[in-house]
Amino acid sequence: MNAAIETLLAHRSIRQFESTPISDEQRCTIIDCARAASTSSFIQCTSIIRVVDKEKRRLLAEYAGNQAYVMEAAEFFVFCADYHRHLQIKPDAKVGFAEQMLIGAVDAALMAQNALVAAESMGLGGVYIGGLRNNPDKVSDLLKLPEQVVPLFGLCLGYPAQDPEVKPRLPVDLMVHEDKYQPMDKTRLAEYDDVVREYYSTRTGGNRTMSWSEQISATLDKESRPFMRDFLHSKGFAVK
């Protein structure tokens, strides 16, 4: 085991931050690590909006579902899929394809993961904010995102003011398949449900005892942001 692996395995989402700022050197290094991530066909179709303005932070926290840590974190980045830059280079570029949306989402996720791992290696912590997609139109207007730029998620970064446990992930044999997709082992799933139930019970002092299967059933029992397709189309994405 080395320091990089230890950092990856120790990941926790941090939602409470100290008031200590992140230095300019740290921030620049984090962004450089994000920029070093793999990019499909060297298209580099991602932009990062660093949000410093306090009022914009307050509004973004509200748009994301009143997540206060968007305001409290030392840094807040918004990761966007961006083909607007490419249109400025080639105005008649063939854009709007669903595959390009996938490339933008994958590239942004790779960049953001690099950024978070780099931050965690410095003793910082963070949490991703998918809640920005609750109000993508308002986020887009606030950040003045042009056509062919879509806000995908945010990232809070700062010095942790909490020390949560590592959340238990699915067992390897339920997630990794060999040669072909394998049927799910219901016994292993039940064992994992017990682990997650105990995790939540410990974390909440017994106020929550939900299993992973119960959580997933509740999450997938309703529509999830059904307005996203129309929003993507309005920004010129996935129309072909």
Side-chain angles (χ1 to χ4, degrees):
M1 193 112 56
N2 57 42
I5 291 174
E6 289 174 354
T7 297
L8 288 166
L9 293 178
H11 166 71
R12 295 92 40 84
S13 291
I14 299 298
R15 294 178 173 84
Q16 295 176 21
F17 299 95
E18 296 179 358
S19 59
T20 308
I22 293 174
S23 71
D24 290 344
E25 181 181 5
Q26 287 174 311
R27 185 184 69 253
C28 289
T29 298
I30 289 167
I31 291 175
D32 282 344
C33 288
R35 292 171 53 242
S38 297
T39 171
S40 178
S41 300
F42 203 47
I43 294 176
Q44 301 186 88
C45 55
T46 306
S47 283
I48 301 171
I49 311 293
R50 180 193 178 208
V51 184
V52 179
D53 183 88
K54 291 183 179 180
E55 177 60 13
K56 288 187 176 182
R57 285 269 208 111
R58 185 190 69 77
L59 288 169
L60 290 173
E62 177 185 316
Y63 298 160
N66 296 311
Q67 300 187 60
Y69 28 92
V70 172
M71 291 191 301
E72 296 163 357
E75 294 284 342
F76 186 67
F77 300 139
V78 178
F79 286 80
C80 306
D82 179 5
Y83 286 91
H84 181 74
R85 180 165 51 238
H86 304 75
L87 286 172
Q88 294 177 78
I89 298 169
K90 183 175 173 56
D92 61 346
K94 306 301 182 184
V95 296
F97 294 94
E99 170 66 6
Q100 292 169 338
M101 180 70 249
L102 290 174
I103 290 172
V106 170
D107 275 18
L110 293 173
M111 288 181 68
Q113 185 67 1
N114 265 25
L116 182 54
V117 172
E120 289 175 336
S121 76
M122 301 175 187
L124 302 169
V127 63
Y128 295 114
I129 307 296
L132 291 183
R133 297 192 304 279
N134 292 345
N135 291 283
D137 51 346
K138 292 181 179 179
V139 172
S140 185
D141 290 343
L142 182 68
L143 301 181
K144 301 188 183 305
L145 304 182
E147 186 178 5
Q148 286 294 324
V149 181
V150 168
L152 297 173
F153 53 86
L155 174 60
C156 296
L157 292 175
Y159 285 94
Q162 62 177 166
D163 187 23
E165 298 179 40
V166 174
K167 185 176 287 187
R169 296 305 201 256
L170 277 168
V172 172
D173 50 357
L174 287 180
M175 185 177 288
V176 179
H177 306 255
E178 189 168 322
D179 288 335
K180 64 178 182 180
Y181 198 91
Q182 305 290 337
M184 184 167 62
D185 185 330
K186 296 296 183 64
T187 299
R188 291 290 287 132
L189 178 61
E191 292 171 353
Y192 177 63
D193 278 337
D194 288 340
V195 170
V196 172
R197 191 179 287 111
E198 178 62 25
Y199 164 81
Y200 279 131
S201 179
T202 300
R203 175 176 167 177
T204 65
N207 291 324
R208 182 181 181 186
T209 57
M210 181 179 287
S211 72
W212 187 71
S213 292
E214 291 168 338
Q215 179 178 340
I216 294 306
S217 296
T219 300
L220 299 182
D221 194 41
K222 58 183 182 297
E223 289 184 312
S224 179
R225 301 179 181 124
F227 48 80
M228 279 303 301
R229 183 179 66 176
D230 288 343
F231 172 73
L232 290 174
H233 289 175
S234 75
K235 301 293 285 186
F237 278 81
V239 296
K240 305 172 188 176

